[in-house]
């Protein structure tokens, strides 16, 4: 049986979704938005928010789902902190440029695996 984290990773791996969109669309049933609307929401969060300098898009997508599903600012912030800490512990970074090894040439984690990790940690909270 394919898990949601596998579904999200496949969306990224097959090129139909950026990292944020892969997480957003996989968990859109936890939000009040349609899959098309939530995919559009994630358009600009590819490659570390459009320039590979920012937070991994998979984490951004997880944060958006968490906020839309909890309807509680404090709970969403606490949950996002937990997701970020687990993600950084597993992967060594939360920034796209570091994960992709932009300056170092050493890739810490491939994008589909980042998507799977963010999805796994999100699902633990949902």
């Amino acid at each position: 049986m394919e898990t949601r984290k596998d579904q999200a990773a496949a969306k990224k791996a097959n090129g139909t979704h950026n990292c944020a969109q892969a997480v957003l669309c996989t968990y859109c049933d936890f939000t009040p938005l349609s899959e098309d609307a939530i995919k559009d929401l994630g358009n600009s969060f590819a490659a570390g928010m459009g320039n590979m300098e920012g937070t991994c898009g998979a984490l951004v997508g997880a944060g958006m789902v968490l906020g839309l599903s909890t309807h509680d600012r404090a709970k969403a912030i606490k949950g996002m902190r937990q997701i970020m800490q687990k993600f950084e512990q597993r992967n060594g970074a939360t920034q796209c440029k570091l994960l992709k090894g932009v300056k170092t040439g050493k890739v810490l984690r491939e994008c589909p695996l980042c998507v799977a990790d963010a999805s796994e940690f999100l699902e633990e909270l949902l």
Side-chain angles (χ1 to χ4, degrees):
M1 184 170 115
E2 188 178 50
T3 64
R4 281 190 191 235
K5 78 177 194 174
D6 295 330
Q7 293 168 10
K11 286 177 174 135
K12 173 59 185 167
N14 71 25
T16 60
H17 296 69
N18 68 37
C19 295
Q21 290 170 325
V23 176
L24 286 165
C25 290
T26 301
Y27 294 90
C28 71
D29 58 318
F30 284 89
T31 77
L33 300 175
S34 70
E35 188 167 352
D36 287 340
I38 209 161
K39 188 174 183 186
D40 287 343
L41 180 66
N43 277 338
S44 62
F45 294 99
M49 295 190 196
N51 62 14
M52 295 186 74
E53 295 293 322
T55 302
C56 169
L59 289 168
V60 173
M64 285 191 262
V65 170
L66 194 58
L68 287 166
S69 66
T70 63
H71 307 287
D72 181 311
R73 185 173 129 178
K75 187 175 181 181
I77 290 169
K78 181 180 177 185
M80 192 68 223
R81 185 180 307 114
Q82 291 171 348
I83 291 170
M84 297 281 287
Q85 289 170 337
K86 288 179 180 184
F87 188 95
E88 185 170 26
Q89 184 177 30
R90 180 176 289 173
N91 299 310
T94 59
Q95 283 185 293
C96 181
K97 71 177 180 177
L98 298 174
L99 292 161
K100 303 279 290 175
V102 171
K103 292 184 180 177
T104 65
K106 181 183 177 199
V107 176
L108 298 178
R109 194 79 158 153
E110 296 291 337
C111 292
L113 296 175
C114 288
V115 168
D117 292 342
S119 297
E120 174 185 338
F121 301 141
L122 170 64
E123 193 154 336
E124 289 173 1
L125 297 174
L126 294 177

